[in-house]
């Protein structure tokens, strides 16, 4: 079952938390599967009791944004992935922080594609993904060179 965005009327997957078109929060799915299984028309609204007609969620107000005019900021996964990538590069932590940063960035990008995370976190997730990979490779190469050069005898 799909859900229509109240902002742009884009149809979105039923498990999406954010609109695929405009990144507006879709609000929680209210009514639940038991309500949907009764073959009654379901428009994503909240029914106060079983059999009642659906009502618009929150009385038409978007409590998630409350008139801020924004579409939400980056999620914690996007911010965390970018921070891990930068920490890997600055502190030369190698795979200890670079790989988790890349994984978090990849997971966040997949969530953005599915509409489950806000579009605002895309560039941070990309920094986390590619920065984590690059910083891991760079620090691994540096570590390899240090190990190789430390093994060369000094008396030559």
């Amino acid at each position: 079952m799909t859900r229509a965005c109240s902002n742009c009327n884009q149809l979105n997957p039923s498990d999406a938390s954010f609109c695929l078109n405009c990144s507006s929060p879709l609000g929680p799915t209210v009514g639940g599967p038991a309500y949907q299984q009764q073959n009654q028309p379901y428009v994503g609204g909240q029914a106060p009791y079983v059999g009642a007609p659906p009502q618009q969620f929150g009385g038409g107000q978007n409590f998630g944004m409350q008139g801020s005019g924004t579409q939400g900021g980056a999620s914690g996964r996007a911010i965390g992935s970018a921070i891990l990538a930068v920490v890997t590069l600055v502190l030369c932590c190698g795979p200890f922080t670079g790989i988790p940063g890349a994984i978090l960035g990849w997971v966040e990008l997949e969530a953005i594609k599915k509409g489950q995370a806000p579009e605002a976190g895309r560039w941070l997730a990309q920094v986390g993904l590619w920065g984590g990979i690059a910083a891991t490779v760079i620090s691994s190469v540096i570590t390899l060179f240090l190990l190789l050069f430390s093994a060369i005898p000094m008396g030559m």
Side-chain angles (χ1 to χ4, degrees):
M1 174 172 268
T2 59
R3 298 168 57 191
C5 175
S6 61
N7 188 32
C8 68
N9 293 326
Q10 166 75 28
L11 292 179
N12 296 285
S14 61
D15 62 342
S17 298
F18 296 89
C19 177
L20 294 172
N21 184 41
C22 69
S23 299
S24 294
L26 294 176
T29 302
V30 184
Y35 183 73
Q36 295 173 15
Q37 290 174 357
Q38 295 176 358
N39 294 328
Q40 296 181 5
Y42 178 74
V43 293
Q46 177 181 10
Y49 56 90
V50 175
Q55 299 172 359
Q56 188 170 358
F57 174 74
Q61 298 175 7
N62 188 349
F63 291 110
M65 304 311 284
Q66 293 192 352
S68 65
T70 63
Q71 295 181 356
S75 71
R77 278 191 307 232
I79 295 169
S81 68
I83 288 173
L84 286 172
V86 170
V87 165
T88 302
L89 190 60
V90 171
L91 299 179
C92 212
C93 299
F96 299 112
T97 56
I99 291 174
I103 291 171
L104 275 177
W106 179 68
V107 168
E108 181 66 11
L109 286 172
E110 290 297 313
I112 291 170
K113 286 180 191 174
K114 293 178 184 175
Q116 297 171 342
E119 183 72 27
R122 180 179 295 278
W123 73 272
L124 283 173
Q126 288 175 340
V127 166
L129 174 64
W130 298 112
I133 291 171
T136 299
V137 168
I138 290 169
S139 64
S140 297
V141 167
I142 290 171
T143 303
L144 182 67
F145 278 127
L146 289 175
L147 288 173
L148 287 175
F149 287 121
S150 66
I152 297 175
M154 294 301 234
M156 296 184 116

